[in-house]
Amino acid sequence: MTRALAGTAPGPALEAALEAVLGDPDQAARRTAELDAAEGFPAELKQLLDTFGLAEYYVPAEHGGSLDDHEHLLRLWRTLARRDLSATVAHGKTYLAAAPVWIAGTPEQTTRTAAAVLDGTPMAWALSEPDHGADLLNGTLTATAHGDGYRLDGVKWPVNNATRSGRLTLLARTGAPGAGRGQSLFLVDKAALAPDTWRALPKVRTHGIRGIDISGIEFTGATVPGSALLGPEGSGVETVLLALQLTRTMCAALSLGAGEHALRIVARFAAHRVIQRKPLADRAHPASVLARGAALLGATEAAALLATRSIHSLTGEQSVTAATVKALAPTLVDSMLGELAELLGARSFLTDVHEHGAFQRIERDHQVVAVFDGSTPVNRAALVQQFPRLVRGHAAQTVDTAGLAEAADVGERLRALDPGALTLLSRNGGSAVQALPGLLASGALADGPPGLAEHAATLDATTRLLHTLMADVRPAARPPMAAYELAAGYELCYAGAACLHLWAAGRDRHHGEPLWEDALWARAALRALNTRLAAQLRIPPPEPAPGDDLIDARLTRLLVEAATTGAPVTPFGAPTTAPCPGGGTTDEC
C-alpha cells in the first residue's frame, strides 16, 4: 500500500494513510496512557506499523525498500510522533541502526540487512558504553581476530532495542585505544551467536519513553565471521559519523510531532477554558504564547524540511546541516513546551485528567531527543569545528544554487541520494545561510507583504555580525563556552534562512491557505527567531516590523480553529483527526 502511494503522491498521501491506520486519537491516547503507567512496550502499535509497511521506508529503494526521498520518512515519523513519541523512538531505531549499512555495506550485507528489516526484524545501534558514553574513540568492547572471524568481549549500554533486536550494528575496538582508526563496525546476527557467549542486560527504568527497550548487551567470547565486518577494519568511527548525518537530521521529526501534539492540546484548552466570561485564547498573554509556539514550530518545520531534502541535493554539506538541525529542533520545541506548560497550568503535570495526561508525557518524553544521536553540546562542538569554513563561505557567498533550490522546493521529487557524497567536513560551508545576502539583493522579497523584507533584513544583519564573531574563535579541541553560544546563534540563522527559502519557493503554490496569506507563518517565525537571536548574542532586540501587532491575534485564531478541526497547524503540516474535549473524534462532536 505505502510503496504504491510513494510513487504517485508523496508526503500528504503517506501522512493521510498512516493517520487513518492509527485510528481514533482518543482511544490511542487512552492506550498510550495505560502502557506508560505500566511501563509497557507498545507491541500492538509496532505490529500495526509493520503491517502498514513503515519499515519499508528504512530501506533504500535500490535495496528493495521504499526510501527514495527522506522527506517521506520525515513526514511519516512526524505523523506517528504526534500520536506517540515513545513508539516512534522504539520503531525508528531500526532505521538508525541500518543507516551505516547503506553507506559502507557490501552487496551481500545490504541484501541481508534489507531482507531482515523488510521482514520486520528490529535492529539496534550499539555504540554507547557505561564508562564512555559518546566518546566513541575510547570504547573498550573489543573485536579480536579469531580464526576466520572475530571474538567479541565487552558491554554496550545503554542501547535502544538491545534486547528486542534481532541484529546489531556494533562498534568494537580492533586497534589501539583512543586511536582514530582503532574502532570497527560489525553486523551481528544474535541468532547466529552461541547462547553462552552473550547475554542481554536488564531494561533500565527511564524518566520518559518508559516502555521502550532501553537495555544493554554483554559479550563473552562471542564469535562472528569475517563477513560481519562492515567497511574496512578501523573505519568504524568514520562510518558512524557519516551515518549520523542522516540520522541526526531525521530526529527533527520527533520534535515536530511532539511539538504539534502539545500545541494542539493547549490550543484546545485555551479555546474552551473560560475565565471571567472570556476564553483564554482571547486574552493577550495566552494569545502571544500560542502564537509564539506556532511560530517556533513553523520555524522548526522549515529547518527540518530543508535539512531533510538537503540530504539528497546538498549531500556534501550535511556535516553542517545535520549538526545544526539536531541541536536546533529539540531546543526550540523544549522552549515552546515550557511556555505551553505554564499556560496549561496544573493540567500540564496531571497524568490522568486532561486528555489522558498527554501533555506531561510529551514534555517528559521529548527531553530524550536532545540526548541521543549526539547531544546538543556534542552537535554544537561539531559545528564549532567548522566555523572557519562557514566564515569563508559566508564571506564569499559560496552557494550551491541548484542544490539549494531543489532542497527548498518542498514536495517535489528529489535526486537519488549518493552516500558516497557524504563527507566528514563540508567543503563549501552551508549554502542556506550563505545565500541570504544574495536572496535579499535579488529583490525576491521586495514584493512580499509588509514586514517580511524588514524581518529578513534584520536576520541578514545579525547573521553578518554572527559570522564576524565566529571568525574570532580559534580552533581548539575543547572550544570555549562562547563558541557554543555562537553555534546556537548559527542554528537560529539557519532556521530563519530556511523560512525565507521555503517561503520564496512555495509562495505561488499555496494560494488560499490561511497560514500563507500575507506570509503570516514566515513573518511570525522570523519575528520569533530574530528575537531569540538577539538575546543569544546579547544585542538589543529588533524593532517591530510593519504588521507585527496583528500577528498574534491572527495566528492564534487559526491555531485554535486548526486544533479543533484537525486542520494543519504549520505551513507544510498535514491534517489530523482532532479529539473532542470530552473524548471521541470531531466527527462525533
Side-chain angles (χ1 to χ4, degrees), residues 297-523:
L297 190 62
T300 304
E301 179 185 64
L305 280 168
L306 189 70
T308 298
R309 294 177 60 83
S310 294
I311 288 174
H312 296 262
S313 66
L314 294 169
T315 313
E317 298 180 10
Q318 210 60 23
S319 60
V320 168
T321 306
T324 299
V325 173
K326 176 58 176 66
L328 171 81
T331 298
L332 291 187
V333 171
D334 275 338
S335 173
M336 182 188 81
L337 293 175
E339 282 202 272
L340 292 177
E342 291 186 1
L343 193 57
L344 195 58
R347 289 167 179 79
S348 68
F349 295 94
L350 303 178
T351 61
D352 56 0
V353 174
H354 187 69
E355 298 205 15
H356 308 292
F359 188 91
Q360 58 85 26
R361 284 195 305 278
I362 296 167
E363 187 175 29
R364 185 198 66 196
D365 290 353
H366 183 259
Q367 293 177 38
V368 77
V369 180
V371 176
F372 57 53
D373 273 33
S375 66
T376 299
V378 167
N379 281 283
R380 286 178 177 162
L383 194 56
V384 170
Q385 298 307 320
Q386 301 205 59
F387 274 7
R389 296 167 183 262
L390 296 174
V391 169
R392 289 196 299 270
H394 186 264
Q397 295 186 33
T398 304
V399 178
D400 181 341
T401 305
L404 179 59
E406 186 176 349
D409 203 3
V410 173
E412 291 300 307
R413 301 292 290 178
L414 289 157
R415 71 185 76 173
L417 167 63
D418 175 13
L422 292 168
T423 59
L424 293 179
L425 297 171
S426 172
R427 297 183 180 90
N428 297 323
S431 289
V433 174
Q434 291 157 200
L436 265 179
L439 180 63
L440 270 67
S442 70
L445 307 177
D447 62 343
L452 182 65
E454 288 82 354
H455 283 303
T458 297
L459 177 67
D460 181 50
T462 311
T463 300
R464 293 174 188 271
L465 170 62
L466 174 72
H467 282 78
T468 299
L469 299 173
M470 289 164 55
D472 292 334
V473 177
R474 302 272 72 83
R478 295 177 177 81
M481 185 59 204
Y484 287 83
E485 294 177 347
L486 295 177
Y490 185 88
E491 296 158 20
L492 297 169
C493 290
Y494 181 89
C499 291
L500 289 169
H501 293 309
L502 267 59
W503 179 82
R507 59 186 297 191
D508 293 332
R509 70 174 62 166
H510 290 277
H511 286 302
E513 296 181 27
L515 287 170
W516 286 79
E517 290 182 6
D518 299 326
L520 178 61
W521 76 266
R523 290 162 51 218

Side-chain angles (χ1 to χ4, degrees), residues 65-84:
S66 295
L67 181 60
D68 59 358
D69 184 338
H70 278 76
E71 183 186 335
H72 297 161
L73 181 56
L74 182 86
R75 289 178 176 274
L76 288 168
W77 272 0
R78 176 178 65 178
T79 299
L80 179 58
R82 68 185 183 184
R83 292 293 196 93
D84 190 337

Side-chain angles (χ1 to χ4, degrees), residues 512-559:
E513 296 181 27
L515 287 170
W516 286 79
E517 290 182 6
D518 299 326
L520 178 61
W521 76 266
R523 290 162 51 218
L526 289 168
R527 181 184 65 164
L529 291 169
N530 281 333
T531 299
R532 289 180 69 94
L533 188 53
Q536 184 69 40
L537 299 183
R538 299 180 179 86
I539 61 176
E543 293 293 328
D548 277 5
D549 55 325
L550 303 177
I551 286 178
D552 286 356
R554 286 185 60 190
L555 198 51
T556 299
R557 184 171 62 254
L558 291 174
L559 176 60

Side-chain angles (χ1 to χ4, degrees), residues 215-243:
S215 54
I217 187 167
E218 180 178 14
F219 299 96
T220 307
T223 58
V224 295
S227 59
L229 180 65
L230 182 60
E233 190 171 294
S235 66
V237 171
E238 179 178 348
T239 300
V240 167
L241 292 176
L242 294 177

Side-chain angles (χ1 to χ4, degrees), residues 289-304:
V289 171
L290 289 171
R292 188 159 47 250
L296 291 178
L297 190 62
T300 304
E301 179 185 64

Side-chain angles (χ1 to χ4, degrees), residues 10-76:
L14 283 174
E15 289 171 296
L18 180 56
E19 179 71 18
V21 167
L22 293 174
D24 175 67
D26 187 71
Q27 294 179 10
R30 191 184 305 274
R31 179 57 178 155
T32 297
E34 293 170 352
L35 285 172
D36 183 75
E39 300 186 28
F41 184 81
E44 295 177 6
L45 181 53
K46 179 193 178 299
Q47 182 59 49
L48 185 68
L49 296 172
D50 287 344
T51 302
F52 171 78
L54 182 56
E56 292 183 12
Y57 292 87
Y58 303 162
V59 179
E62 61 266 32
H63 301 309
S66 295
L67 181 60
D68 59 358
D69 184 338
H70 278 76
E71 183 186 335
H72 297 161
L73 181 56
L74 182 86
R75 289 178 176 274
L76 288 168

